[in-house]
Amino acid sequence: MGVVEAVAADIDSWLLLVSEVEPLFGPMPDFHQILLRNIKRGNALVVRDEAGGVVGGLLLATDAREGCVTWLAVRANYRRRGVAEALVREATQRLADHDVVSVVSFGPDVVQGQGARRLYERLGFTAGEMVAGTPTGASRQRFTLVLHR
């Protein structure tokens, strides 16, 4: 499964993914601009299908010590095929010089987020504090992977 940096030609396909997850994630009105900025910075990763369509996408951000997965989604018909795992593994490799990688995922009460929670835990992330919920009311929780102490 090939994880590559997104390019501008991926935007339309990525926005279809955004519309698919928006009922759970909540409205993302500025996502096109956010995506474009992240593509220019090299902080947008994708997995594409055979036809070149985006089936999974991840955005990341960094500061001096911490890397962060700021957005991750996989099209429904590609879930449980290793797409999210490949994206997160690539992100943690790219962030290997940071002390910590964090991600905010859904809380334990969000049924649709259970797969993501299991993925992060399987990859060594530890569940931490609860954070503000989504605009749709879904609870959210921070997960952290310590790379360097």
Side-chain angles (χ1 to χ4, degrees):
M1 181 149 324
V3 176
V4 296
E5 286 185 12
V7 295
D10 292 317
I11 291 174
D12 289 341
S13 181
W14 194 317
L15 292 176
L16 292 173
L17 172 58
V18 169
S19 66
E20 184 178 314
V21 298
E22 202 166 36
L24 181 60
F25 285 28
M28 296 177 263
D30 297 328
F31 199 85
H32 184 275
Q33 291 80 18
I34 292 167
L35 181 54
L36 191 56
R37 271 195 313 273
N38 279 278
I39 288 171
K40 288 178 181 176
R41 293 177 183 152
N43 289 342
L45 305 176
V46 295
V47 172
R48 298 184 189 106
D49 64 15
E50 309 77 43
V54 173
V55 299
L58 179 147
L59 300 179
L60 54 94
T62 63
D63 66 21
R65 296 186 59 222
E66 183 173 334
C68 183
V69 173
T70 61
W71 194 90
L72 170 65
V74 175
R75 292 190 67 104
N77 58 336
Y78 280 86
R79 293 182 190 146
R80 293 191 169 101
R81 295 187 188 187
V83 174
E85 181 171 346
L87 286 162
V88 173
R89 286 189 184 281
E90 178 66 24
T92 56
Q93 286 179 350
R94 288 173 181 247
L95 299 169
D97 59 337
H98 292 77
D99 295 337
V100 174
V101 176
S102 68
V103 60
V104 173
S105 191
F106 295 102
D109 60 318
V110 180
V111 174
Q112 302 96 321
Q114 294 303 312
R117 293 174 61 81
R118 285 190 300 272
L119 168 70
Y120 295 127
E121 289 171 347
R122 188 172 71 250
L123 294 178
F125 286 76
T126 303
E129 75 276 7
M130 299 299 290
V131 297
T134 69
T136 62
S139 67
R140 298 187 320 152
Q141 187 171 19
R142 182 175 313 284
F143 285 76
T144 305
L145 175 65
V146 176
L147 298 175
H148 306 285
R149 294 200 185 263

